[in-house]
Amino acid sequence: MNRMSKLRLFSRTKDLESQIDEFLDKLSEASVMFRLGVRTYLKEGANGEFDVKLKAVNTLESNADGLRRNIEKELYTHTLIPDARGDVLGLIETLDHLLSLFEGTLWALAIEKPEIAKEFESGFRKLTNMVVQASDALVLGARSFFRTPHMVGDYNHKVMIYEKEADKISTQLKLDIFGSELDLAHKAQLRNFVEQIDNVADWAEDVADRLAIYAIKRTV
Amino acid sequence: MEPAVLIFLSSGLFLGWALGANDAANVFGTAVGTRMVRWSTAALICSLFVVLGAAVSGAGASTTLGKLGAISTLAGAFMTALAAAISVYLMTKSGLSVSTSQAIVGAIIGWNMFAQAPTDTRILTTIVGTWVLCPLLSAVIAVILYKALRLYLRHAELHLVRTDAYLRLGLLVAGAFGAYALGANNIANVVGVFIPAKPFPDLTIGQFTLSSAQQLLLLGGLAIAVGVLTYSKGVMMTVGGELGRISPVAAFVAVIAHSIVLFMFASRGLEAWLIKAGLPTIPLVPVSSSQAVVGAVVGIAILQGISGIRWRVLGNIMLGWIATPILAGLICFFGLFFLQNVFGQRVF
């Protein structure tokens, strides 16, 4: 291997490394924007500030999509990390779906503009905080997979805890909604939002399960 | 050069070609099979370093073979190498683990018996001892290296992609070292039996003079290189596929351990250093490249839990230790009989 191709190999490596890091940054950023978006909606409805957050998540999602495609192309074109390529692609794709869930929920709020009564605001806020924490712990786990796979288990454990807590909150919220005086259509609409938000934590848990296997494969 | 010399050398060159075609896979098989290194790159590096190893460090192990049986005629050397080549072919056909080193030693003993020359039992014991020692030593080295590398990787916290890039480079460097060690150690199997017969006059090129032995080592190295370039691709892919379940880190360690062992049993420099340091020396003996790799892989498997071991492969290796030299010895003995009595050649 001559000096030039050696340099090419390492510059490609650096490039790919930063693309993966950037992809994970987008996901962390999107979770912050999602949390702020839901809080803004609960406080002020779908106003200008909410639109800013929605647009931010939208941009982050499409940027992350571009990065995902680039990463996939790099990995396959240059046959990089042949033994872990499938796992990395699986991880990136499933993480990408998390961004779609953030974006989809905010879009649904913008389109349907559900009326959320004061009594449910706290429940929605708590649920959003919990699912965002699950997502953040997952991103830390994913970062750890690339550098310190033996530590993935610690982050995954947190994801599981946050997911369980999110389940508890969402169940209580649904009980409260269906025990209220709202009409059935309104109850069904709010339940749908509860499930949509809770879905983020469920998905994070599913990805964490896969990540655990990928990490075991790396540490064996 | 007389054409008859080339005809007699053909069996050794064929053995060299077969060795290159098969054993290059021990050096680069996993790297190529897992697509970490391109075959063309692997073949080029492998053939270059095999020739270098054979020409620069090949004399040590060759001398030991010469001591086991000083085959003094070209016809005798021809049949010895041919018997080894045929037994390698037959054993490979039967799917048994085979080593050219074991075949050539069996063939030399066959020659000794035919020529009624005494076999130096001390040298023979040393050689057989190294066959058992080689995979064991390789396993121990692999375990130590694997543990050290795992510890380093755990603390270095390198990105997966960067680790992959370093491993690619590492596999190339380890492969080059492995090819050098293969050339240095296994060249004895290819041309060792021809050295006492001195088939070539000294060759002077400018200020350099190449003795008959040096020309033989170079020619044998080239034969191995031709084997690598013409026929190793399929074998590398197969070996890579078979060992595909081991991680690139384990593959890298296996190649390094294999190379260290082959080098230890071939290096006169190391021998001189050990003597100087007052330490016991390692005999310079051709050992099996395949068994060194299998030893390393088994060592890593033991480290990860006993379930990974393929006992059948181990059984085949042990069967090979006995079956290969006996088969080669018998073929050589009867071959020499025909060569002497049917073709009227002087074989000792």
Side-chain angles (χ1 to χ4, degrees):
Chain A
M1 186 185 266
N2 61 37
R3 201 161 155 238
M4 274 313 289
S5 55
K6 227 190 296 171
L7 287 177
R8 263 207 309 276
L9 173 67
F10 286 110
S11 77
R12 211 158 42 216
T13 301
K14 219 173 154 194
D15 211 40
L16 187 59
E17 249 183 80
S18 50
Q19 284 192 54
I20 291 172
D21 283 341
E22 212 182 317
F23 176 86
L24 294 171
D25 289 346
K26 302 276 176 228
L27 189 51
S28 313
E29 225 178 302
S31 81
V32 173
M33 289 299 147
F34 172 73
R35 184 164 164 267
L36 292 176
V38 176
R39 285 171 81 98
T40 309
Y41 184 85
L42 292 172
K43 220 166 37 185
E44 304 161 17
N47 63 2
E49 186 57 30
F50 173 79
D51 283 344
V52 171
K53 305 296 179 234
L54 172 60
K55 212 171 263 174
V57 173
N58 210 350
T59 311
L60 286 166
E61 204 273 337
S62 58
N63 286 350
D65 266 347
L67 283 166
R68 176 179 56 80
R69 279 188 211 103
N70 271 349
I71 293 166
E72 286 174 357
K73 203 174 121 201
E74 276 289 302
L75 286 177
Y76 273 99
T77 315
H78 304 294
T79 56
L80 300 174
I81 46 169
D83 63 317
R85 189 168 47 200
D87 294 351
V88 170
L89 291 185
L91 180 64
I92 300 277
E93 272 166 19
T94 46
L95 286 174
D96 193 43
H97 184 64
L98 217 49
L99 278 156
S100 309
L101 290 176
F102 288 146
E103 193 193 21
T105 308
L106 290 189
W107 267 119
L109 286 172
I111 293 164
E112 295 183 32
K113 297 186 180 64
E115 206 178 298
I116 299 174
K118 270 262 176 278
E119 56 189 298
F120 305 130
E121 273 180 19
S122 151
F124 270 100
R125 203 172 293 125
K126 276 187 201 161
L127 180 63
T128 309
N129 285 348
M130 207 50 76
V131 301
V132 162
Q133 292 204 69
S135 162
D136 289 347
L138 177 67
V139 173
L140 289 175
R143 285 190 201 278
S144 171
F145 164 76
F146 289 102
R147 287 199 165 85
T148 48
H150 57 282
M151 284 172 70
V152 164
D154 297 343
Y155 296 111
N156 276 356
H157 184 63
K158 283 192 174 170
V159 176
M160 308 302 160
I161 293 171
Y162 291 134
E163 193 274 336
K164 263 197 198 102
E165 285 305 308
D167 271 352
K168 281 184 204 160
I169 297 168
S170 73
T171 308
Q172 188 55 52
L173 197 52
K174 278 193 265 185
L175 281 171
D176 292 347
I177 289 167
F178 280 91
S180 71
E181 297 296 315
L182 296 173
D183 62 78
L184 189 61
H186 197 172
K187 285 175 181 171
Q189 188 194 27
L190 290 185
R191 180 204 55 200
N192 197 34
F193 274 97
V194 170
E195 284 175 351
Q196 212 165 338
I197 296 172
D198 190 32
N199 211 9
V200 171
D202 289 341
W203 188 257
E205 190 193 32
D206 289 350
V207 181
D209 284 340
R210 282 165 168 244
L211 189 59
I213 306 285
Y214 301 156
I216 288 168
K217 278 161 75 180
R218 273 207 70 199
T219 45
V220 164
Chain B
M1 189 196 302
E2 284 178 48
V5 172
L6 256 189
I7 292 169
F8 282 129
L9 276 180
S10 63
S11 61
L13 297 181
F14 172 62
L15 195 60
W17 176 84
L19 197 138
N22 280 299
D23 286 8
N26 297 328
V27 179
F28 274 112
T30 329
V32 171
T34 53
R35 300 188 189 281
M36 291 284 278
V37 175
R38 270 203 303 266
W39 176 79
S40 52
T41 314
L44 199 71
I45 290 178
C46 192
S47 44
L48 186 72
F49 280 87
V50 144
V51 177
L52 266 178
V56 178
S57 304
S62 303
T63 311
T64 310
L65 274 194
K67 280 183 201 159
L68 184 67
I71 303 168
S72 49
T73 68
L74 260 182
F78 163 80
M79 186 40 76
T80 312
L82 187 64
I86 292 171
S87 22
V88 166
Y89 173 76
L90 289 177
M91 293 285 285
T92 310
K93 269 282 226 187
S94 336
L96 289 168
S97 168
V98 66
S99 146
T100 42
S101 311
Q102 285 144 21
I104 202 80
V105 165
I108 291 173
I109 294 168
W111 181 88
N112 280 351
M113 285 163 80
F114 188 81
Q116 289 175 337
T119 301
D120 187 332
T121 47
R122 199 178 51 83
I123 301 250
L124 183 64
T125 317
T126 309
I127 290 175
V128 174
T130 59
W131 292 348
V132 183
L133 193 64
C134 162
L136 287 177
L137 199 60
S138 186
V140 171
I141 292 173
V143 165
I144 295 167
L145 283 178
Y146 190 72
K147 281 197 113 168
L149 191 60
R150 286 284 303 276
L151 202 68
Y152 167 74
L153 286 175
R154 200 182 162 104
H155 286 95
E157 298 187 0
L158 294 171
H159 196 280
L160 171 66
V161 182
R162 186 159 298 231
T163 311
D164 175 74
Y166 287 154
L167 271 176
R168 273 165 202 262
L169 197 63
L171 281 167
L172 281 180
V173 176
F177 176 42
Y180 184 90
L182 180 71
N185 186 282
N186 275 206
I187 189 68
N189 301 333
V190 177
V191 296
V193 289
F194 295 95
I195 289 176
K198 291 194 177 128
F200 302 124
D202 286 359
L203 180 70
T204 307
I205 307 163
Q207 291 191 323
F208 297 100
T209 303
L210 291 176
S211 67
S212 171
Q214 284 168 326
Q215 290 174 59
L216 274 170
L217 293 172
L218 188 64
L219 201 62
L222 288 170
I224 301 176
V226 171
V228 174
L229 290 169
T230 56
Y231 212 73
S232 68
K233 194 173 184 176
V235 189
M236 278 196 202
M237 293 296 185
T238 315
V239 168
E242 279 172 3
L243 297 176
R245 272 180 295 166
I246 68 169
S247 68
V249 175
F252 169 71
V253 168
V255 175
I256 288 273
H258 147 276
S259 312
I260 290 174
V261 169
L262 257 68
F263 186 74
M264 280 165 79
F265 286 111
S267 173
R268 277 183 161 165
L270 181 68
E271 188 184 42
W273 182 82
L274 286 171
I275 292 170
K276 213 174 146 189
L279 294 167
T281 57
I282 297 158
L284 305 183
V285 169
V287 288
S288 165
S289 166
S290 316
Q291 291 176 14
V293 159
V294 172
V297 172
V298 168
I300 297 168
I302 289 173
L303 193 67
Q304 292 175 334
I306 205 108
S307 61
I309 299 177
R310 290 147 76 187
W311 294 104
R312 208 172 61 84
V313 177
L314 280 186
N316 273 353
I317 288 177
M318 283 184 234
L319 187 66
W321 286 339
I322 303 158
T324 313
I326 292 177
L327 184 68
L330 287 173
I331 294 171
C332 187
F333 188 90
F334 289 107
L336 289 167
F337 179 82
F338 272 98
L339 208 57
Q340 180 180 264
N341 298 312
V342 180
F343 296 99
Q345 293 292 324
R346 201 167 66 82
V347 294
F348 61 90

